[in-house]
């Protein structure tokens, strides 16, 4: 008999966690599992939604839920009761709306931590979750070894309550294409945490010394206009490409030479794995799960350190021998991060905890 799995998240806006959920639900073994996805917000007509719809996956949109209150909890309660899953798999804010139903039923839950544990929820929610884990109601899953360690320490939980499943990507869709300028690239939500302004400042300094370099900043967010203003003010319009939110990230990575991640905190960004699958070396701040995957294939720098970023970018341009070694290491290291392996690991957890 098939196990009934409900996956709950906020929405399918374009983001690393949402992309990971999309890959999971599209690749799960439908001969073993009945699957329903609950989005506590409404449809946003993103490419991720369209991809899931093409797979014929049952998605329930609970329109209008923006905060935790009695009305929103009742909506989620009714949706869960109508399906009555064997296990609930929550992501980001989805778990908050599910807590009352989880407490009142024998069903266990899995919650994937996509970022640093202290950044994910307020203290009250953290306390409730900690109690539920200690009572054996479920487990946490982190996306990197570094975050697994931090989560165990933060929640004071043993390793049996904090599993680790690497994010996975479709390794076959990434490729390289000839291009003129030496090009740096970043892909991600353009917000304060991602700190793309640091990349722009470093690029501005490099442009004074290197003429044939370019920068691509793929994504959108509440800092997008600020980044565009900076580009215009510093006369970088011809040198910096800001295409916004795209569905063909692989085409921008294909015409790039180095990937830069400048975040203040992270889980395990799919964008870095996708860059590695393209054979790009990585420059990144040493945060979260990035320290698990950037070793001989790139350069780690301190958070918000402009000078260290400039030095790292120059090293990529000037040291061709080391650059080529890093490219090869990226491609080799990313082979363990396929979406197929990720899905198999989650299926094993489902089998362990489902009734």
């Amino acid at each position: 008999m098939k196990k009934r799995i409900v996956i709950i998240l906020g929405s399918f806006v374009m983001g690393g966690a949402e992309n990971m959920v999309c890959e999971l639900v599209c690749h799960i073994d439908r001969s073993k599992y009945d699957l329903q996805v609950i989005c506590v917000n409404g449809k946003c007509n993103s490419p991720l939604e369209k991809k899931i719809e093409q797979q014929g996956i049952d998605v329930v949109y609970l329109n209008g839920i923006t905060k935790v209150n009695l009305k929103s909890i009742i909506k989620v309660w009714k949706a869960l009761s109508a399906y009555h899953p064997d296990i609930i798999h929550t992501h980001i804010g989805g778990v908050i709306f599910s807590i009352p139903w989880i407490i009142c039923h024998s069903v266990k839950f899995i919650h994937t931590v996509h970022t640093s544990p202290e950044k994910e929820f307020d203290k009250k929610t953290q306390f409730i979750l900690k109690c539920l884990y200690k009572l054996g109601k479920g487990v946490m899953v982190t996306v990197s070894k570094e975050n697994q360690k931090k989560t165990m320490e933060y929640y004071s939980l043993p390793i049996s309550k904090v599993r680790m499943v690497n994010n996975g990507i479709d390794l076959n869709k990434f490729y390289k294409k000839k291009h003129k300028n030496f090009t740096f690239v970043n892909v991600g939500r353009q917000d304060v945490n991602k700190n793309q302004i640091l990349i722009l400042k470093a690029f501005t300094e490099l442009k004074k010394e290197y003429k044939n370099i370019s920068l691509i900043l793929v994504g959108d967010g509440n800092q997008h206009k600020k980044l565009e203003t900076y580009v215009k003010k510093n006369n970088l319009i011809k040198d910096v490409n800001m295409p916004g939110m795209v569905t063909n990230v692989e085409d921008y990575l294909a015409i790039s030479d180095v990937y830069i991640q400048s975040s203040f905190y992270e889980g395990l960004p799919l964008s870095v794995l996708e860059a590695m699958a393209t054979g790009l070396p990585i420059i990144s701040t040493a945060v979260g799960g990035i320290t698990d995957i950037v070793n001989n294939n790139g350069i780690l720098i301190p958070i918000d350190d402009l000078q260290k970023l400039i030095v790292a970018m120059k090293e990529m341009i000037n040291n061709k021998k080391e650059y080529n070694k890093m490219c090869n290491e990226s491609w080799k290291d990313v082979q363990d991060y396929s979406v197929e392996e990720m899905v198999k690991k989650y299926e094993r957890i489902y089998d362990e905890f489902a009734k």
Side-chain angles (χ1 to χ4, degrees):
M1 188 174 178
K2 291 183 181 180
K3 295 178 177 69
R4 297 166 69 80
I5 311 296
V6 159
I7 293 178
I8 304 180
L9 74 163
S11 71
F12 276 112
V13 297
M14 294 295 286
E18 293 81 5
N19 195 19
M20 172 263 159
V21 174
C22 179
E23 294 293 346
L24 174 61
V25 300
C26 288
H27 287 85
I28 196 169
D29 187 347
R30 304 290 290 281
S31 69
K32 290 176 58 181
Y33 307 97
D34 277 329
L35 181 66
Q36 184 179 80
V37 178
I38 296 177
C39 285
V40 297
N41 298 323
K43 291 190 71 171
C44 58
N45 297 314
S46 73
L48 299 180
E49 286 179 345
K50 293 174 184 176
K51 182 176 179 178
I52 289 172
E53 288 168 3
Q54 289 170 357
Q55 296 290 323
I57 294 164
D58 181 19
V59 182
V60 176
Y61 295 97
L62 304 179
N63 300 320
I65 293 182
T66 56
K67 59 183 179 180
V68 181
N69 54 32
L70 183 59
K71 184 178 179 180
S72 62
I73 289 171
I74 290 173
K75 268 194 171 186
V76 174
W77 184 289
K78 287 181 177 179
L80 290 170
S81 296
Y83 190 74
H84 210 94
D86 296 311
I87 199 161
I88 299 173
H89 187 179
T90 61
H91 301 263
I92 319 175
V95 68
I96 301 172
F97 301 93
S98 315
I99 286 174
W101 199 92
I102 291 167
I103 291 173
C104 295
H105 294 77
S106 60
V107 173
K108 295 187 178 181
F109 77 104
I110 298 165
H111 176 66
T112 298
V113 183
H114 290 278
T115 187
S116 298
E118 72 277 8
K119 301 288 185 181
E120 194 174 29
F121 301 117
D122 60 36
K123 294 293 184 181
K124 183 187 293 185
T125 304
Q126 290 172 7
F127 175 76
I128 296 171
L129 289 174
K130 184 177 179 178
C131 291
L132 290 175
Y133 297 132
K134 286 186 176 293
L135 290 170
K137 291 290 289 183
V139 295
M140 305 177 87
V141 177
T142 62
V143 296
S144 71
K145 291 179 181 178
E146 178 65 23
N147 263 26
Q148 182 185 34
K149 180 181 176 182
K150 288 174 66 176
T151 302
M152 288 169 62
E153 292 174 352
Y154 191 78
Y155 280 93
S156 300
L157 292 171
I159 195 168
S160 61
K161 302 291 185 184
V162 184
R163 309 296 177 86
M164 197 277 287
V165 177
N166 292 326
N167 283 341
I169 59 171
D170 181 357
L171 296 175
N172 297 317
K173 75 176 186 178
F174 298 97
Y175 68 100
K176 290 288 290 179
K177 185 177 180 180
K178 287 185 178 180
H179 51 281
K180 184 179 178 181
N181 285 356
F182 192 93
T183 303
F184 298 94
V185 64
N186 169 270
V187 179
R189 188 176 288 121
Q190 293 173 351
D191 58 20
V192 173
N193 172 53
K194 299 295 184 180
N195 198 23
Q196 284 96 346
I197 193 68
L198 183 74
I199 301 173
L200 278 174
K201 288 178 179 178
F203 182 79
T204 302
E205 292 303 310
L206 256 69
K207 196 64 188 175
K208 297 173 183 176
E209 186 174 344
Y210 303 94
K211 301 305 178 186
N212 296 322
I213 61 172
S214 300
L215 173 63
I216 304 174
L217 297 177
V218 179
D220 203 350
N222 56 29
Q223 294 293 297
H224 186 80
K225 291 295 183 184
K226 179 180 178 180
L227 299 174
E228 282 188 327
T229 299
Y230 182 96
V231 168
K232 292 174 183 175
K233 188 178 291 187
N234 289 274
N235 299 314
L236 296 172
I237 293 176
K238 293 182 179 179
D239 306 300
V240 179
N241 182 8
M242 296 183 62
M245 185 174 70
V246 302
T247 59
N248 59 329
V249 168
E250 63 273 16
D251 295 331
Y252 290 92
L253 294 173
I255 54 172
S256 301
D257 298 281
V258 176
Y259 186 87
I260 304 178
Q261 189 81 12
S262 49
S263 306
F264 287 101
Y265 56 88
E266 281 291 353
L268 183 67
L270 288 176
S271 56
V272 175
L273 295 176
E274 290 172 342
M276 290 169 61
T278 313
L280 302 184
I282 311 298
I283 300 173
S284 177
T285 46
V287 294
I290 291 176
T291 58
D292 290 349
I293 56 175
V294 178
N295 298 291
N296 297 325
N297 62 322
I299 301 172
L300 293 173
I301 62 171
I303 293 171
D304 206 30
D305 193 322
L306 177 60
Q307 293 308 313
K308 289 289 177 64
L309 177 55
I310 292 171
V311 170
M313 293 169 75
K314 286 184 176 182
E315 176 71 8
M316 292 292 185
I317 296 171
N318 296 331
N319 193 338
K320 194 66 176 177
K321 182 179 179 180
E322 193 63 26
Y323 169 83
N324 288 331
K325 284 171 61 177
M326 291 180 183
C327 290
N328 293 332
E329 287 294 327
S330 269
W331 168 246
K332 183 178 74 174
D333 291 349
V334 81
Q335 300 308 304
D336 294 330
Y337 292 85
S338 70
V339 68
E340 292 81 8
E341 283 301 310
M342 176 189 75
V343 172
K344 285 179 185 177
K345 290 175 182 177
Y346 273 114
E347 287 180 349
R348 285 197 287 269
I349 297 175
Y350 294 159
D351 292 343
E352 178 183 352
F353 287 94
K355 292 189 295 184

